[in-house]
């Protein structure tokens, strides 16, 4: 059985540990990933990037690919799309040249992605999903796939889908232990993740409900997976990686907020940085006395300069 913190190999890449940061749309930008790496994350992923967005040269899509200098050669890109040709073109594009690992999203449950035949919709179309994995593999990239156990709890496909991914050339799979219908609610289905693990020889990472070291240990014990992926827990507390890995590192929320602001401001500008960091600072308030009132004040913050002052006051 894998242990929390052991190394993990994906294709030619060797990760320092098996505790990974999930790709989270709207949150896992380069400044946040930098913070997670600081606390020990073994691998981080970009936010979901649209293959068609890259094909049509979308500036907004390209911004999602920005890397901090210390990320070079270590961060993976998460790509989504429903057309094998677009997906391969994206993998072979100059925009993805800095990334050796491409993770294909086949689990996103949100309606606008699902209705477009992308994300978790591919769970119901295995031939198309297989064609996408195979096409991306032909680009020469190391390909991984993140998917859910099925569309509904009553009709799980985890083992079958895992075998398909391996057969099409995937070097690793991440299994979110909930069906599409559950979104992010409820206990993950350990048995279905275990079924996927038993069906393949490539590394399997388990995702869903990991908020602590105890959760990570339980996930590995219950599923036999090779690693775990942390999602929402990291938004509340990026220091969770140090906690899971048993590292003795402090969590200075003031320094985290101020550091993210300084990283983001030159690249994103005032308005985006303000909106994004109001959200992040509000997350970091979880468990704080009077946090509801403080969150309201944060969301009303009018400028980055005032946000800096508030970080000094709130997280002193």
């Amino acid at each position: 059985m894998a242990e929390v913190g052991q190394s993990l190999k994906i294709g030619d890449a060797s990760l320092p540990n098996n505790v990974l940061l999930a790709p989270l749309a709207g949150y896992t930008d380069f400044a946040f990933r930098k913070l997670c790496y600081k606390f020990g994350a073994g691998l981080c992923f970009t936010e979901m990037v649209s293959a068609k967005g890259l094909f049509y040269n979308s500036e907004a899509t390209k911004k999602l690919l920005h890397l901090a200098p210390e990320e070079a050669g270590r961060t993976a890109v998460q790509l989504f799309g429903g057309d094998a040709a677009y997906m391969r073109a994206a993998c072979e594009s100059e925009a993805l040249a800095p990334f050796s690992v491409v993770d294909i999203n086949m689990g996103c449950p949100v309606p606008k992605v699902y209705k477009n035949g992308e994300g978790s919709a591919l769970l119901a179309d295995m031939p198309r999903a297989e064609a996408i994995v195979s096409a991306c593999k032909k680009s020469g990239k190391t390909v991984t796939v993140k998917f859910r156990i099925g569309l509904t709890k009553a009709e799980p496909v985890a083992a079958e889908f895992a075998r398909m991914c391996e057969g099409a050339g995937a070097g690793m799979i991440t299994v979110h232990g909930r069906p599409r219908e559950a979104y992010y609610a409820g206990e993950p289905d350990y048995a279905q993740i275990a079924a996927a693990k038993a069906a393949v020889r490539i590394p399997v990472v388990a995702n869903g409900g990991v908020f602590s070291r105890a959760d990570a240990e339980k996930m590995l014990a219950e599923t036999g997976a090779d690693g775990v992926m942390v999602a929402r827990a990291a938004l509340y507390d990026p220091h969770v990686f140090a906690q899971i890995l048993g590292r003795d590192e402090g969590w200075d929320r003031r320094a985290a907020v101020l550091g993210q602001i300084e990283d983001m401001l030159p690249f994103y500008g005032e308005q985006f940085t303000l909106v994004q960091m109001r959200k992040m600072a509000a997350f970091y308030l979880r468990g704080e006395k009077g946090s509801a009132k403080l969150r309201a004040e944060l969301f009303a913050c009018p400028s980055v300069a005032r946000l800096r002052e508030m970080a000094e006051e709130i997280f002193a």
Side-chain angles (χ1 to χ4, degrees), residues 35-51:
L35 192 58
C36 293
Y37 278 129
K38 176 188 172 186
F39 289 124
L43 179 67
C44 296
F45 297 79
T46 68
E47 300 176 54
M48 283 199 318
V49 172
S50 165

Side-chain angles (χ1 to χ4, degrees), residues 70-121:
E70 51 268 70
E71 289 187 271
R74 66 191 300 198
T75 293
V77 61
Q78 196 189 54
L79 192 66
F80 78 98
D83 183 287
Y86 278 112
M87 292 289 279
R88 180 172 177 177
C91 289
E92 294 175 344
S93 70
E94 186 179 341
L96 296 198
F99 301 92
S100 60
V101 178
V102 174
D103 185 65
I104 305 172
N105 182 293
M106 295 190 177
C108 181
V110 301
K112 69 177 182 179
V113 173
Y114 178 80
K115 290 176 181 176
N116 211 29
E118 301 166 336
S120 60

